[in-house]
Amino acid sequence: MERDFDVIVIGSGAAGLAAAVSAADSGASVLVVEGETQVGGSSRLSGGHFYAAGTSVQEEAGVVGDNADAMFEHYMTLNQHLVDPAVVRRYCDLSAPTLEWVMGLGVKYPADQLYASGVGSTPRGHPPEGEGQEVINVLEGHRSHKGVDLVLDARVTSLITNDEGRVTGVRIGDDEATAGAVIMATGGFGNNPEMIEKYLPQAAATGDWGWYIGADGARGDGITLGESVGGVVDGHDRALLLATPGFSRDLEVALPSWIIMVNQYGRRFCDETGNYTVIAGLLDKQGGPVYAVFDEPTRAAAKRTPLFQAYWVNEVLEQKADDGRILRADSLAELAALAGIDAEGLEGTAQRYNNDVEAGEDTAFFKQGPLSPIRTAPFYAVEIRPAILCWTGTGLRINADTCVIDKAEKPIRGLYAAGETVGNLHGDVYVGGGGSYGPCLVFGKLAGENAAKYAQMLND
Ligand SMILES: Cc1cc2nc3c(=O)[nH]c(=O)nc-3n(C[C@H](O)[C@H](O)[C@H](O)COP(=O)(O)OP(=O)(O)OC[C@H]3O[C@@H](n4cnc5c(N)ncnc54)[C@H](O)[C@@H]3O)c2cc1C
């Protein structure tokens, strides 16, 4: 049967462009369909870090003995095995070869930038020169050079299937394009409030504080399109969220060392400067509002720093207290009453913390960095919510070969998926910086190869 293309890729982020380039390299004729007016999706806004093990960059940096087995063990343990082992294993196995492939295309990952990007100590975070935009530039250059067609401003509205349920193309409004295989690389759903409500209760619970840092096109179309042909959604309530006092929509990843965070019992529950990959999950587990608490000398000393520009600055904090957005009181008991926190708990926590500050060691949570006592009125409490949404981890269920699978665990013929639209890779805990962009490239490349092979088989 005549088809317009061997492979159609929906979406032109890291996953989609990697898929397009690898499908073309596998001999397929390829069309990339992008709903926005420029390529790159959230990938172009991203740091573009790539979480990988056993790479030549690690070797150059003197990291010895890391490999896919160690990465797999860490990933599975971190998430208490509540992820799909076959899909995670494939990511781990292909992380190094895919990074080498991307480097071969022209992206540079300087060895001196390599870092331990999650809660593990092994440096697996590979930041690219020029961040995510440069990765997109390089992939887009190869797409264009290989003669892969691209249409912009063309949002796919439905999938075409034949009588046997095989996916045979896409519709963009009244237009149609047919193919041997379709790759869904439509990104996440950070810009879709209904899907956030449905699939991401922890983000929905942050109410109007919640905002998404990525691109407009992240509307969850992959989920809708995939479900329309029998695909199923996996990975409930999974995303990367960052903790914030929510005064504005500024992206600040960390919290300052000079606050303590307490729950409704007035108890601390973490090292406030802990890794951003775990803090939001800890907030969610407190079962009620969480407050950052500090005192007047600490507030007055809060200077703008490279890390803290928007929220944790003396005059901002003063203004927000004057506006009533931050609670202010002359005693901790009064502050606790205003915040609905157990007063005895808060006073006891502050006393223990002050003793630790005096002794120069946080004996409860081992927090490093400048510690400030909570001693001098007025005292302040500001609510913290996991309200900055970086990416979503709920999405289509795939097998390790990137085929979208149905509820009977069977591949939907002709339909592949890669990138943030996939739902059975991420667990409750983000593995670390590069843990989203890395698999976009890994599964994008793999989907391109497998979709090209499938289309070729139909042609034979
Ligand atoms: C600011 C920022 C920083 C980040 N930093 C990192 C990092 O350092 N490391 C890391 O691992 N992750 C990071 N992330 C997350 C990571 O970048 C993303 O998860 C990843 O880039 C998503 O890639 P993707 O190809 O799946 O989707 P995208 O890059 O979002 O691309 C999807 C594309 O599909 C298009 N599309 C959607 N629906 C349709 C449709 N119906 N028809 C046609 N086109 C459609 C969209 O317009 C979009 O262009 C960051 C994210 C952001 C926003």
Side-chain angles (χ1 to χ4, degrees):
M1 191 193 130
E2 275 297 297
R3 298 180 192 96
D4 299 325
F5 298 91
D6 293 323
V7 174
I8 293 176
V9 180
I10 314 177
S12 69
L17 289 177
V21 171
S22 81
D25 280 346
S26 307
S29 61
V30 184
L31 169 69
V32 177
V33 186
E34 169 54 53
E36 300 296 306
T37 53
Q38 61 178 322
V39 297
S42 289
S43 303
R44 81 187 156 76
L45 307 173
S46 168
H49 300 196
F50 191 142
Y51 189 92
T55 69
S56 63
V57 180
Q58 286 180 313
E59 200 180 320
E60 195 187 330
V63 177
V64 283
D66 194 26
N67 55 37
D69 290 343
M71 176 171 156
F72 179 69
E73 189 181 333
H74 176 66
Y75 202 118
M76 296 303 291
T77 306
L78 187 71
N79 279 295
Q80 300 179 353
H81 289 246
L82 293 166
V83 283
D84 190 319
V87 175
V88 174
R89 181 77 230 187
R90 190 59 62 86
Y91 164 39
C92 298
D93 285 343
L94 295 184
S95 68
T98 305
L99 186 99
E100 305 301 332
W101 177 73
V102 179
M103 285 166 64
L105 295 177
V107 177
K108 294 190 177 67
Y109 294 91
D112 62 358
Q113 301 294 306
L114 190 73
Y115 71 115
S117 63
V119 288
S121 57
T122 309
R124 297 195 178 114
H126 295 67
E129 237 174 60
E131 306 196 322
Q133 179 68 69
E134 179 58 11
V135 179
I136 291 300
N137 293 347
V138 167
L139 289 170
E140 169 58 7
H142 284 272
R143 178 211 59 80
S144 163
H145 183 68
K146 288 176 197 305
V148 169
D149 286 308
L150 166 73
V151 282
L152 294 172
D153 206 6
R155 186 174 175 186
V156 170
T157 43
S158 62
L159 297 176
I160 305 171
T161 50
N162 68 8
D163 295 344
E164 297 153 6
R166 182 160 63 77
V167 175
T168 57
V170 302
R171 283 191 201 89
I172 303 149
D174 294 334
D175 293 330
E176 290 188 357
T178 56
V182 171
I183 301 174
M184 198 74 79
T186 46
F189 57 88
N191 260 334
N192 183 327
E194 289 80 30
M195 279 195 189
I196 289 176
E197 195 70 39
K198 181 169 177 188
Y199 297 122
L200 205 45
Q202 55 173 321
T206 67
D208 60 5
W209 288 36
W211 64 284
Y212 171 58
I213 66 171
D216 292 347
R219 299 189 189 93
D221 285 2
I223 291 179
T224 315
L225 293 168
E227 281 188 312
S228 74
V229 294
V232 288
V233 171
D234 208 346
H236 188 66
D237 209 15
R238 285 173 173 177
L240 176 63
L241 291 156
L242 301 176
T244 176
F247 306 146
S248 55
R249 296 197 161 185
D250 288 288
L251 177 56
E252 283 189 4
V253 175
L255 298 170
S257 67
W258 46 259
I259 57 165
I260 59 166
M261 269 199 299
V262 296
N263 59 22
Q264 60 199 302
Y265 308 107
R267 271 185 227 132
R268 287 177 74 205
F269 53 89
C270 67
D271 165 358
E272 292 79 3
T273 62
N275 198 286
Y276 71 95
T277 59
V278 296
I279 292 289
L282 292 172
L283 289 173
D284 192 48
K285 290 276 184 291
Q286 299 313 306
V290 161
Y291 283 87
V293 175
F294 47 94
D295 73 359
E296 175 59 19
T298 303
R299 184 208 61 74
K303 299 237 160 45
R304 246 185 203 89
T305 69
L307 270 185
F308 305 117
Q309 296 276 323
Y311 308 121
W312 304 103
V313 181
N314 52 14
E315 65 269 18
V316 176
L317 297 169
E318 183 167 36
Q319 185 62 54
K320 293 296 166 188
D322 289 347
D323 296 347
R325 179 72 172 68
I326 296 179
L327 305 174
R328 178 162 49 196
D330 288 331
S331 70
L332 281 176
E334 201 187 315
L335 190 72
L338 287 175
I341 297 172
D342 185 284
E344 223 176 311
L346 181 61
E347 285 174 330
T349 295
Q351 189 158 12
R352 177 178 179 185
Y353 188 70
N354 289 346
N355 292 342
D356 276 359
V357 174
E358 218 157 276
E361 188 190 0
D362 174 10
T363 59
F365 293 96
F366 315 112
K367 181 166 58 176
Q368 303 295 311
L371 309 178
S372 307
I374 300 158
R375 194 176 282 141
T376 311
F379 298 100
Y380 298 90
V382 58
E383 194 182 344
I384 305 290
R385 294 183 191 173
I388 303 178
L389 177 56
C390 301
W391 54 259
T392 52
T394 301
L396 295 174
R397 195 161 150 69
I398 60 166
N399 65 19
D401 294 323
T402 69
C403 301
V404 177
I405 50 180
D406 65 16
K407 64 178 177 188
E409 295 287 279
K410 290 203 201 86
I412 297 167
R413 281 171 300 156
L415 187 61
Y416 297 78
E420 212 180 301
T421 195
V422 168
N424 51 337
L425 173 70
H426 296 290
D428 284 344
V429 183
Y430 183 38
V431 71
S436 185
Y437 212 101
C440 287
L441 293 167
V442 165
F443 289 116
K445 175 175 184 285
L446 185 63
E449 290 161 0
N450 289 345
K453 232 181 277 165
Y454 182 79
Q456 188 58 51
M457 188 196 74
L458 294 176
N459 291 340
D460 290 342

